[in-house]
């Protein structure tokens, strides 16, 4: 377990036993903002725009005293995020994404994730042949191809959030993306308003009132008349020589099936984490044990396919049920009549909370 601190210290603990004991530590020259592991290398992103790359010594142990430093730019800006994409590492640096080859420790490719130079890449989420990217103070998600780095799709979540909650619940604050995760075949989006949105990832596209809701990347016959009728599937054809392996799934988002959770945080969603788990198995009927309300249908659909359960956790300050508000006004009115009453430092609704969802899905 690698831990990076704001004061520049990097700590390595055992994830097996005696967790409290620090095995290795080293002081780096600036705050640690992100950590990733890929093929025997650990990349550490620092606030001064440099990457520290660690590897194991000849004895198989991590050698923290011998590491390589990569400088991503002359005007030093923070490396806000990193993501492992196959055997490469994508780094968000200003408005650009740098694709790093960890073995050679070289920048293989750089491209603009946003046209404005003052913008900052904040979150990256990878699955299949696509990487979803968020920009600081922006409500639009951008999808890029993992190999060609082609810009494939934009999804603006602001109209969806405003429609679902109304502008009154959001106040004057605009919607910005503060957390991003792919888990359970869904893209999980956390906003600065504390809202959590879960968007299914799909390869199918349906035309509804002229709107493109997703794309289908698999090959079919061009003579198929399926896409010609209203609401039909539109097919995108690749080159005959292109690789059609199982990993060629492109994770387009279908906002038509997006779900907004009415359970959220009072402040920004700070992070998402996903772990395997099935906490609902002991409940009667286990509402998430099958993807269908009809057991016979579920049995047919999942025959020969392994259903998986994953727990998705969001972390943030406070808790709010967006259907009823946070009750802050009621608390103020109750306490207004008693001037001598001392209000606690943090009320229950203001304390840090972790919200847990269970998702059942069939892996791609």
């Amino acid at each position: 377990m690698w831990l990076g601190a704001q004061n520049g210290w990097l700590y390595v603990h055992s994830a097996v036993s005696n967790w409290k004991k620090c095995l290795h530590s080293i002081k780096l020259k600036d705050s640690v903002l992100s950590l990733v592991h890929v093929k025997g290398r650990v990349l550490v992103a620092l606030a001064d725009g440099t990457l520290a790359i660690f590897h194991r010594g000849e004895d198989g142990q991590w050698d923290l005293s011998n590491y390589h430093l990569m400088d991503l730019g002359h005007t030093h800006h923070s490396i806000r995020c990193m993501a492992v994409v196959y055997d490469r590492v994508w780094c968000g640096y200003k408005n650009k994404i740098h694709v790093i080859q960890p073995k050679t420790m070289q920048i293989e490719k750089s491209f603009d994730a946003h046209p404005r130079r003052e913008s900052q890449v904040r979150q990256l989420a990878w699955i299949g042949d696509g990487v979803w990217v968020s920009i600081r103070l922006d409500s639009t998600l951008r999808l890029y191809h993992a190999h060609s780095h082609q810009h494939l799709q934009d999804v603006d979540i602001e109209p969806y959030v405003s429609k679902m909650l109304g502008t009154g619940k959001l106040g004057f604050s605009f919607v910005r993306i503060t957390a991003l995760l792919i888990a359970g075949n869904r893209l999980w989006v956390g906003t600065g308003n504390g809202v959590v949105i879960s968007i299914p990832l799909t390869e199918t596209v349906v035309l509804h009132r002229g709107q493109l809701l997703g794309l289908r990347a698999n090959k079919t016959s061009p003579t198929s008349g399926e896409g010609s009728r209203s609401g039909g599937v539109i097919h995108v054809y690749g080159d005959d020589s292109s690789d059609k392996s199982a990993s060629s799934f492109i994770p387009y988002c279908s906002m038509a099936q997006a779900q907004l959770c009415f359970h959220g945080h009072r402040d920004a969603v700070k992070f998402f984490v996903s772990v395997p788990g099935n906490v609902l198995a002991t409940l009667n009927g286990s509402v998430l044990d099958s993807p269908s309300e009809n057991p016979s249908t579920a049995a047919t659909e999942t025959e020969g396919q392994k259903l998986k359960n994953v727990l998705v956790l969001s972390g943030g300050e406070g808790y709010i049920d967006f259907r009823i508000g946070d009750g802050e006004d009621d608390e103020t009115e109750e306490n207004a009549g008693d001037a001598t009453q001392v209000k606690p430092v943090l009320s229950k609704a203001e304390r840090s909370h972790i919200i847990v969802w269970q998702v059942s899905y069939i892996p791609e």
Side-chain angles (χ1 to χ4, degrees), residues 250-316:
I250 297 180
Y252 294 99
C253 269
S254 175
M255 286 302 291
Q257 283 83 42
Q259 292 177 298
L260 183 144
C261 184
F262 289 112
H263 304 280
H265 300 280
R266 288 179 53 152
D267 204 349
V269 180
K270 300 292 187 183
F271 64 86
F272 286 117
V273 175
S274 68
V275 292
N278 187 2
V279 298
L280 296 180
T282 56
L283 295 182
N284 293 333
S286 186
V287 292
L288 290 183
D289 270 353
S290 69
S292 169
E293 293 180 3
N294 187 333
S296 60
T297 306
T300 305
E301 290 176 350
T302 59
E303 186 177 352
Q305 295 175 309
K306 181 68 174 176
L307 193 67
K308 287 196 173 183
N309 292 293
V310 64
L311 302 178
V312 177
L313 294 75
S314 75

Side-chain angles (χ1 to χ4, degrees), residues 35-36 153:
L35 292 156
V36 296
Q153 186 185 12

Side-chain angles (χ1 to χ4, degrees), residues 150-223:
Q150 178 186 358
H151 184 191
L152 300 174
Q153 186 185 12
D154 283 339
V155 171
D156 186 359
I157 64 168
E158 195 279 331
Y160 178 80
V161 176
S162 297
K163 177 185 176 184
M164 292 295 291
L165 295 181
T167 53
K169 288 278 189 357
L170 298 176
F172 294 104
S173 57
F174 55 90
V175 176
R176 69 185 194 279
I177 297 163
T178 56
L180 202 62
L181 175 76
I182 291 177
N185 289 346
R186 288 174 168 269
L187 181 65
W188 296 78
V189 184
T191 75
N193 315 91
V195 174
V196 173
I197 304 169
S198 173
I199 313 170
L201 299 174
T202 178
E203 284 187 299
T204 50
V205 72
V206 178
L207 281 182
H208 176 65
R209 296 179 182 175
Q211 291 185 327
L212 195 66
L213 304 180
L215 291 173
R216 187 178 185 88
N218 55 318
K219 297 272 286 182
T220 55
S221 168
T223 58

Side-chain angles (χ1 to χ4, degrees), residues 82-237:
M82 294 191 295
V84 176
V85 180
Y86 291 109
D87 59 348
R88 303 294 193 267
V89 175
W90 287 32
C91 298
Y93 183 77
K94 299 194 295 184
N95 67 323
K96 295 180 179 293
I97 291 175
H98 296 303
V99 181
I100 310 293
Q101 164 49 276
K103 294 285 186 184
T104 62
M105 294 177 283
Q106 299 292 324
I107 299 176
E108 281 193 348
K109 173 82 174 179
S110 296
F111 61 94
D112 290 348
H114 196 278
R116 290 200 311 268
R117 295 185 64 183
E118 63 272 17
S119 297
Q120 295 179 13
V121 177
R122 271 302 169 90
Q123 285 93 22
L124 298 165
W126 164 60
I127 189 173
D129 278 348
V131 181
W132 281 99
V133 179
S134 76
I135 306 295
R136 178 178 176 267
L137 303 180
D138 198 333
S139 62
T140 298
L141 289 160
R142 293 163 173 81
L143 175 64
Y144 290 89
H145 197 281
H147 300 296
S148 68
H149 312 124
Q150 178 186 358
H151 184 191
L152 300 174
Q153 186 185 12
D154 283 339
V155 171
D156 186 359
I157 64 168
E158 195 279 331
Y160 178 80
V161 176
S162 297
K163 177 185 176 184
M164 292 295 291
L165 295 181
T167 53
K169 288 278 189 357
L170 298 176
F172 294 104
S173 57
F174 55 90
V175 176
R176 69 185 194 279
I177 297 163
T178 56
L180 202 62
L181 175 76
I182 291 177
N185 289 346
R186 288 174 168 269
L187 181 65
W188 296 78
V189 184
T191 75
N193 315 91
V195 174
V196 173
I197 304 169
S198 173
I199 313 170
L201 299 174
T202 178
E203 284 187 299
T204 50
V205 72
V206 178
L207 281 182
H208 176 65
R209 296 179 182 175
Q211 291 185 327
L212 195 66
L213 304 180
L215 291 173
R216 187 178 185 88
N218 55 318
K219 297 272 286 182
T220 55
S221 168
T223 58
S224 168
E226 215 176 341
S228 59
R229 64 179 185 268
S230 176
V233 176
I234 302 298
H235 302 286
V236 177
Y237 304 101

